[in-house]
Amino acid sequence: MNKNLRPLLVSAGGMLAALALWQVTATGPMAGGPLPSAAATFVQLAGLVANEAFWAALAETLVISLAGLTSAAVVGVVTGVLIGSFEPVRYATLAVLEFLKPIPPIVILPLVVLIFGPTTQMSWFLVFFGCVLPIIMQTVSGVHDADPVTLDTARSYGLGRTEILARVTLPSAMPFIGTAMRVAAPAALVITVVAGLLGGGPGLGLSIYQAQAAGDYPVLYAYVVVLGVLGLSFQGASRLAERRLLHWHASYREVLPA
Amino acid sequence: MKLQEKPVTVNNAAAVPPRLEVTALSKTYGSGPSAKCVIEDLTFTIGTGEVVCIVGPSGVGKTTLLKCLAGLQPATSGTAAIDGRTIAGPPAEMALVFQDYSRSLMPWLTVRKNVRLPLRHLRLPEAELNQRINTALEAVGLAHAANQYPWQLSGGMQQRVAIARALAYRPEILIMDEPFASVDAQTRFELEDLCLKIREDFGMTILVVTHDIDEAVYLSDRVVVLGAKPARVLDVVDIDLPAPRDQISTRALPEFAEQRTMVLSMIRKPA
Amino acid sequence: MNRKLTNWALGVGTPFLLVAAWWMFSENSTNTFFPPLGMILERFQALWLFEHFESDVMLSLRNLVVGYALATVIGVGLGFVTALMPVARWALDPLIHFLRGIPPVALVPIFISLIGFGIEMRLVSITLAAMFPTLIATVDGIRSVDSTLKDVSSVYRLTRAEKLAQVYLPAAGPQIASGMQVSLQVAFVVMIASEMLGSSQGIGAMTLLAQQSFMTSDMWAGILLLGVIGFGANLVFEVIKNKVLAWYVGSKRLARS
Ligand SMILES: Nc1ncnc2c1ncn2[C@@H]1O[C@H](COP(=O)(O)OP(=O)(O)OP(=O)(O)O)[C@@H](O)[C@H]1O
Ligand SMILES: [Mg+2]
């Protein structure tokens, strides 16, 4: 028992030590500077929780992330299936998709802000743009990966195109789509924050920007702590969802990155 | 790493000073209610320059025993000792060929570099280093595959790379865990004879785990038969066959059949 | 054979077609958001190859390269320490995972508040934000090194240095590399963000500035350059990765076929 408790104790000790270091640095050598103390930050955090504007910003952040993610998922899977089902289309789009994939949405942020202004649509579009490409590409790989023997069997049993799609192609693409979604969900949150922080879109990103611009450092840090917790929940939730939904799939384990 | 200069040939266990001594060794995995006792009260010795085989049913704890001998995991009670020194960590004079050969080779190194890896810190002169590697690879018939990667080779070839790595290391005590399990019959005979030859040439003490009773009888001076759960020594069979052994004539001897039957009946006997 | 040729032609041809279509349709464009491609390219040349090459392009790239290099070294180093020392692992794990949850860009305002708007801030932001993916991948990679390989290193009594450099590092290599690839993306994003947030130097700042002053062609030129850098950086990474991890790529390909 004692042995199992030790890692927990050391972990708790590590966290406490980090907090203590923060507190001491902020009140000692850097007192009066831009680094607020841990205590001040947590006081502000408590203040935020009682603040209606905070909950509104949080809700906006969540709504934008999830709306962007959902629309990207729908459009991405449909497009991916279409591209993946027709070989010429797959080849035609390959180079373009490969070129666009490593380009993060922040690159087109100035253009999107120019067109939409600092609005919810702007943030949503940025999230959509950032999430849809990986989902398309994974879906294409998944469709392409469908077992040719199973496909042949399905055809020889006289299954129609849509039936094959629903019964063979999509199920076999599921793990790929699942992986893409697991990666996309935390990314959606990050992009929403980017859109708020740099593009003035509503939500926590904007709140952070305003706190920084106003020099209200304890609030700034409190928001960052909130984002840390939120980010962890997004990662945890998407991983859990993937495991719950796909644990039955034989190739589930293979698809996970090594 | 000193090797004995004079070849030693031994058949009589009693005349040989014990090199490896296992005394009342037991091993339990885990603790508390989930504890699993794999080995209980194991005692046997191996003399210098002897070849001893361990046979026993699958899952009885042979690999566990070898890991204790190699100092990879501590015994729960009892001791294993080399020349009277209790084994606490991997001993310098020992090499171990793992059962799981495909996982025991470094996939990022070529065959040659795999064999070379353990020799780096011995600081041998370059010429001797190369000579050792070449000899070892030739001995297992893999000189031609030196620059390939392990994952490009068949299972049997990978197993031979693992053996070559141990040979090039020139240990005084060589322990092998089912080393010939996935090589073809012809190669298997050659490797068995190689095993006997390096004992002659270098006076190595060799301990081999095998499932093949014929192989155990052919190779050994003694066969340790493990059985029951947790593992105990059911019997130690002295193999009295004339040296040098030969794949055809030795296996044709009536004594060979006798000893083989003896070991087999030990294994089949209900506990 | 014929089909292969068609596919190949499609793959190469489509990007050209798309660019040509962009050129044609935008040629007489009066839409302020979508200026003619010709004009964008003209501005691209004037801005990035001449006017702002040294002052902004090189500056951004230098920050990216230095910040990313530091992030990699610190990430891998700290990852080794965390993975191999249980006490360090227990103590740092929750902290590392909490910090990883924070969107990297949200760290930029904090560093601005601490160090100001200068180059140091940008370097520190890039380094610290890009460190986490590599760090976490290194820890995971080392923790999942095959136990048989560890046993082999012990039996053959490899020295500590040999174990680290010849066994743990290459064994964790594929995972470290995929962490480093994410780190590269993060470094790139934070490079842009740190320039956009209140700086007047660098490609990101120039692009945002152009947008705010409605110089759309300049903005497009900036977007184009950033896109090319994002793509190019990833390409260079892939090429190096495939070279260094040739054994891994080869074994995976063999296992699949
Ligand atoms: N690390 C471990 N933790 C818990 N149990 C273990 C561990 N390693 C082995 N065992 C158990 O110990 C028993 C003996 O395993 P071991 O591998 O030593 O058998 P073996 O005789 O080598 O079998 P085989 O002939 O199949 O190789 C098995 O029941 C196994 O499940
Ligand atoms: Mg075994």
Side-chain angles (χ1 to χ4, degrees), chain A residues 69-90:
Chain A
L69 186 65
T70 325
S71 49
V74 173
V75 174
V77 169
V78 171
T79 318
V81 167
L82 285 177
I83 294 178
S85 310
F86 302 100
E87 203 177 52
V89 184
R90 195 161 65 82

Side-chain angles (χ1 to χ4, degrees), chain B residues 57-64 66 99-100 177-178 209 211:
Chain B
S58 183
V60 77
K62 303 182 295 293
T63 300
T64 304
L66 296 195
Q99 178 173 15
D100 210 342
D177 199 349
E178 299 186 28
V209 164
H211 277 278

Side-chain angles (χ1 to χ4, degrees), chain B residues 225 233 252:
Chain B
V225 183
V233 177

Side-chain angles (χ1 to χ4, degrees), chain B residues 1-270:
Chain B
M1 194 130 323
K2 263 182 272 152
L3 293 169
Q4 263 168 275
E5 312 285 59
K6 257 178 51 182
V8 268
T9 350
V10 264
N11 271 328
N12 189 351
V16 186
R19 187 85 219 255
L20 202 61
E21 227 176 334
V22 177
T23 322
L25 186 103
S26 70
K27 175 72 191 173
T28 303
Y29 281 119
S31 60
S34 64
K36 185 175 179 188
C37 183
V38 177
I39 298 177
E40 189 165 54
D41 196 19
L42 216 57
T43 301
F44 65 90
T45 60
I46 301 174
T48 305
E50 270 191 315
V51 176
V52 172
C53 281
I54 295 180
V55 296
S58 183
V60 77
K62 303 182 295 293
T63 300
T64 304
L65 168 65
L66 296 195
K67 282 191 175 165
C68 291
L69 292 182
L72 290 174
Q73 45 183 234
T76 311
S77 67
T79 54
I82 293 182
D83 300 332
R85 287 177 290 117
T86 301
I87 297 170
E93 53 271 79
M94 185 188 283
L96 174 61
V97 173
F98 289 81
Q99 178 173 15
D100 210 342
Y101 52 87
S102 65
R103 283 167 57 199
S104 85
L105 298 171
M106 318 283 159
W108 55 88
L109 295 179
T110 59
V111 166
R112 190 180 180 81
K113 289 188 174 151
N114 260 292
V115 176
R116 193 180 169 178
L117 183 62
L119 308 180
R120 291 168 58 103
H121 65 272
L122 299 183
R123 308 213 176 287
L124 303 167
E126 191 67 22
E128 189 189 347
L129 188 71
N130 285 325
Q131 188 253 331
R132 270 205 201 184
I133 298 172
N134 294 336
T135 318
L137 284 176
E138 271 157 31
V140 298
L142 281 180
H144 63 281
N147 293 320
Q148 283 183 286
Y149 286 95
W151 39 268
Q152 294 173 313
L153 307 177
S154 70
M157 289 165 90
Q158 290 176 22
Q159 211 160 22
R160 283 186 278 154
V161 178
I163 295 171
R165 178 170 62 188
L167 292 183
Y169 191 63
R170 304 254 169 102
E172 292 171 34
I173 303 171
L174 175 62
I175 300 185
M176 299 195 276
D177 199 349
E178 299 186 28
F180 313 138
S182 30
V183 298
D184 59 281
Q186 177 58 36
T187 314
R188 188 177 188 127
F189 287 157
E190 282 166 16
L191 289 175
E192 284 168 9
D193 288 334
L194 175 68
C195 195
L196 295 174
K197 183 172 172 304
I198 54 171
R199 187 262 293 265
E200 294 300 323
D201 290 355
F202 301 109
M204 263 185 214
T205 306
I206 299 175
L207 176 62
V208 182
V209 164
T210 176
H211 277 278
D212 184 337
I213 307 218
D214 285 44
E215 178 172 282
V217 173
Y218 177 75
L219 282 178
S220 307
D221 298 313
R222 278 179 304 137
V223 175
V224 176
V225 183
L226 292 187
K229 274 189 182 178
R232 288 183 295 107
V233 177
L234 294 186
D235 197 7
V236 178
V237 182
D238 284 316
I239 305 293
D240 234 343
L241 294 171
R245 295 185 186 174
D246 173 86
Q247 289 288 359
I248 295 170
S249 58
T250 304
R251 282 177 195 261
L253 293 172
E255 296 97 302
F256 185 88
E258 256 168 51
Q259 313 253 11
R260 177 180 180 283
T261 311
M262 211 154 92
V263 175
L264 191 58
S265 60
M266 279 315 305
I267 289 180
R268 301 293 296 269
K269 196 169 66 182

Side-chain angles (χ1 to χ4, degrees), chain B residues 67 72 90-92 94-96 98 100 103-108 117-118 120-121 149 151-152 165-166 169, chain C residues 146-159 162 166-168 170-171 246-248 250-251 254:
Chain B
K67 282 191 175 165
L72 290 174
M94 185 188 283
L96 174 61
F98 289 81
D100 210 342
R103 283 167 57 199
S104 85
L105 298 171
M106 318 283 159
W108 55 88
L117 183 62
R120 291 168 58 103
H121 65 272
Y149 286 95
W151 39 268
Q152 294 173 313
R165 178 170 62 188
Y169 191 63
Chain C
D146 198 307
S147 61
T148 311
L149 288 185
K150 290 188 201 164
D151 282 351
V152 169
S153 333
S154 301
V155 162
Y156 289 108
R157 296 163 62 96
L158 300 192
T159 61
E162 276 178 323
Q166 311 281 334
V167 181
Y168 286 98
W247 64 270
Y248 181 73
S251 66
L254 203 70

